[in-house]
Amino acid sequence: MASLDVESLTLDGKNKTTVLCSRCPSKILCPQVGTYVVKEFSLPSMHHKTEGETDTAEDVKDYWQVNDMYHFENIGFSKTIDDRKYLICADCEIGPVGWHDLNTKMNYLALSRVKHTDV
Ligand SMILES: [Zn+2]
């Protein structure tokens, strides 16, 4: 996976551009809605929802933190696992593109799993 040029994607610590699904034209986040955070998290590999259980994961650390799920333009949720739900594309259901923490209600969208416009 190509390394991310975080600097070109952020403006004042937030997402500079519109965030889209990596596979379909679905719009996930408007500019300046997500806050860039670094978190160590093992995110299951991307797969289609209907393919069943994930068996592999990768360490992903660059995220857009979104404080309220209603701040997303479009987002879907997978089933609950432990205290989180994984975020998937609302239209094509590719994912996980991040996760929702059921305790804190915070959402984390992986920069490497989405597409950014104008970059
Ligand atoms: Zn999609």
Side-chain angles (χ1 to χ4, degrees), residues 15-85:
N15 60 305
K16 189 173 171 180
T17 67
T18 298
V19 176
L20 305 170
C21 174
S22 63
R23 194 171 76 166
C24 79
S26 186
K27 186 173 165 184
I28 297 175
L29 213 57
C30 284
Q32 299 287 290
V33 175
T35 302
Y36 176 68
V37 294
V38 174
K39 282 183 92 73
E40 296 288 340
F41 190 81
S42 184
L43 199 62
S45 298
M46 290 266 264
H47 69 114
H48 197 264
K49 196 170 117 179
T50 54
E51 282 170 18
E53 296 298 320
T54 53
D55 49 3
T56 56
E58 61 171 342
D59 291 326
V60 178
K61 64 178 179 59
D62 301 297
Y63 293 97
W64 299 121
Q65 179 180 307
V66 179
N67 299 348
D68 189 324
M69 59 180 272
Y70 295 107
H71 293 168
F72 287 103
E73 295 302 300
N74 293 290
I75 200 71
F77 294 94
S78 72
K79 63 179 191 249
T80 302
I81 299 168
D82 298 327
D83 56 354
R84 73 182 71 96
K85 283 174 187 283

Side-chain angles (χ1 to χ4, degrees), residues 21 23-24 26 89 91-94:
C21 174
R23 194 171 76 166
C24 79
S26 186
C89 174
D91 289 324
C92 72
E93 300 190 337
I94 192 87

